[in-house]
Amino acid sequence: MYDKFFIQQLKQHGYKITPQRRAIIEALAEAPLAPKASEIWEKVRQKYPDISPDTVYRNLTLMVDLGMVQQIYLRSKETSRFEVNVPHHHHLVCLKCGCYYCLEGCLVNEQNLKAAKRRGFTVIGHALELYGYCMSCKEGRKEGLR
Amino acid sequence: MYDKFFIQQLKQHGYKITPQRRAIIEALAEAPLAPKASEIWEKVRQKYPDISPDTVYRNLTLMVDLGMVQQIYLRSKETSRFEVNVPHHHHLVCLKCGCYYCLEGCLVNEQNLKAAKRRGFTVIGHALELYGYCMSCKEGRKEGLR
DNA sequence: ATCCTAAATAAGTTTATTCTTATTTAAGAT
DNA sequence: ATCTTAAATAAGAATAAACTTATTTAGGAT
């Protein structure tokens, strides 16, 4: 369980531990692979019916910014999804149906991290999405785009 | 001028050439580096006061999907920006102020393109964003996140 | 235990973007 | 030139996400 690790991380960065935050972290732990924000919200509402969606969004974004959670941008096809407890990696996203596949490893090379450093830019995370067409969408490609 | 190239590309893919599309392409050509959708809309409205924002979004997205235009996702800090007529590259995006820097070249390696192929996935584009803090935002990092 | 204060929250508003539907139109065929 | 039809559009509704502000609260200090 990474619940404790998450709490510790937040504390370490000076953030307060609220019941809502605990619940969100718990929901992430129980959730299926890569839930949507709305799914987290639904789950948390079972315990805290009055929690606002804003609180869910705010905390998910915070955890993404802290590198504890990975956000998958699925373009406009689908709302973002959030991954926890998986090694850092990237995704293939289908432009037609919005489905995605996980890629192994990470494509960011040293050169660019150095370039960032030279500019005085501190990199704390990154995201790469490859866009294209999955097998089942390939035939109808042109129709798909429209 | 890449106006003609854009028109040709759209025709080649079977899309119709409407006055609105011409105007959007023209606006992109005249626009400053990496305009926002709203800026394109404003420019196009000078000629077509009745054009809907939807038409602008729809066509920008289409051109991104066709690889003619690059979209820069600036997270929630800022709305997306659109680049044309520049070699393919990636960006550094500041989590605090939303500013960005262009990186040289492209970080996608052969391995992953092959992995995509093996899955029957056709890659037609990709985007990589590195997230972190620019020089001037670095000090106030913790405050910035909140 | 109480107090203090910055941070977190809920509620409601706002915004950017997308979707739905009825209407219009580009462009190929006649 | 006219006809045809799928595609594109405008308008308005819907949605996800973020912002604003007043209230509450976590957690450190007393």
Side-chain angles (χ1 to χ4, degrees):
Chain A
M1 277 331 197
Y2 48 83
D3 300 35
K4 294 197 174 134
F5 172 69
F6 273 33
I7 300 286
Q8 176 214 314
Q9 285 275 303
L10 287 174
K11 275 188 185 164
Q12 215 162 66
H13 283 89
Y15 294 97
K16 294 179 178 173
I17 308 306
T18 64
Q20 290 92 334
R21 274 188 180 150
R22 284 187 193 279
I24 289 166
I25 289 169
E26 202 178 310
L28 277 170
E30 293 168 0
L33 276 182
K36 301 186 263 185
S38 60
E39 291 169 341
I40 296 299
W41 188 48
E42 283 306 332
K43 188 151 260 178
V44 175
R45 283 215 292 174
Q46 293 171 9
K47 229 181 185 173
Y48 295 88
D50 289 337
I51 196 168
S52 72
D54 185 52
T55 296
V56 174
Y57 286 122
R58 187 163 20 81
N59 282 294
L60 285 175
T61 301
L62 171 64
M63 290 190 278
V64 169
D65 287 357
L66 291 176
M68 300 152 60
V69 173
Q70 277 197 81
Q71 183 170 2
I72 316 177
Y73 296 100
L74 296 177
R75 302 282 303 267
S76 56
K77 288 294 164 193
E78 289 282 335
T79 189
S80 287
R81 291 181 171 275
F82 298 88
E83 290 182 316
V84 291
N85 208 25
V86 288
H88 175 77
H89 61 282
H90 299 291
H91 304 89
L92 297 171
V93 179
C94 181
L95 286 175
K96 183 172 179 186
C97 67
C99 75
Y100 65 96
Y101 300 106
C102 296
L103 289 171
E104 275 181 33
C106 166
L107 306 170
V108 177
N109 64 21
E110 276 308 308
Q111 270 190 323
N112 277 272
L113 294 181
K114 275 180 191 157
K117 216 169 192 173
R118 252 183 276 121
R119 285 184 171 121
F121 197 105
T122 306
V123 176
I124 65 170
H126 58 264
L128 168 63
E129 313 289 352
L130 303 184
Y131 295 110
Y133 297 93
C134 68
M135 192 127 43
S136 53
C137 286
K138 202 179 293 179
E139 294 82 33
R141 185 199 298 209
K142 227 181 75 181
E143 294 76 68
L145 270 177
R146 296 186 180 179
Chain B
M1 276 331 198
Y2 46 84
D3 301 33
K4 294 199 175 131
F5 173 69
F6 273 34
I7 300 286
Q8 176 214 314
Q9 284 275 304
L10 287 175
K11 275 188 184 165
Q12 214 160 67
H13 283 90
Y15 293 96
K16 294 179 178 175
I17 306 307
T18 64
Q20 291 92 332
R21 277 191 176 147
R22 282 185 194 281
I24 289 167
I25 289 169
E26 203 178 309
L28 277 170
E30 293 168 359
L33 275 183
K36 302 185 262 185
S38 60
E39 291 169 342
I40 296 299
W41 187 48
E42 283 306 331
K43 188 152 259 177
V44 175
R45 282 216 291 175
Q46 292 170 10
K47 229 181 185 175
Y48 294 89
D50 289 338
I51 196 169
S52 73
D54 184 54
T55 295
V56 173
Y57 284 120
R58 187 162 21 81
N59 282 293
L60 285 175
T61 301
L62 171 64
M63 290 189 279
V64 170
D65 287 356
L66 291 176
M68 300 152 60
V69 173
Q70 276 196 84
Q71 182 170 2
I72 315 177
Y73 297 99
L74 297 177
R75 301 282 305 269
S76 57
K77 289 294 164 196
E78 290 281 336
T79 189
S80 287
R81 290 181 172 274
F82 297 88
E83 291 182 316
V84 290
N85 210 24
V86 289
H88 175 77
H89 62 282
H90 299 291
H91 304 91
L92 297 171
V93 179
C94 181
L95 285 175
K96 183 171 179 186
C97 68
C99 75
Y100 65 94
Y101 300 106
C102 295
L103 290 170
E104 276 181 31
C106 167
L107 305 170
V108 177
N109 64 21
E110 276 307 308
Q111 269 188 323
N112 276 274
L113 294 181
K114 275 179 191 159
K117 215 168 192 176
R118 251 182 277 122
R119 284 184 171 120
F121 198 105
T122 307
V123 176
I124 64 169
H126 59 265
L128 169 63
E129 313 287 353
L130 302 183
Y131 296 110
Y133 297 92
C134 68
M135 192 128 44
S136 53
C137 287
K138 201 178 296 180
E139 294 83 33
R141 187 199 298 208
K142 228 182 73 182
E143 293 77 68
L145 270 178
R146 295 184 182 184

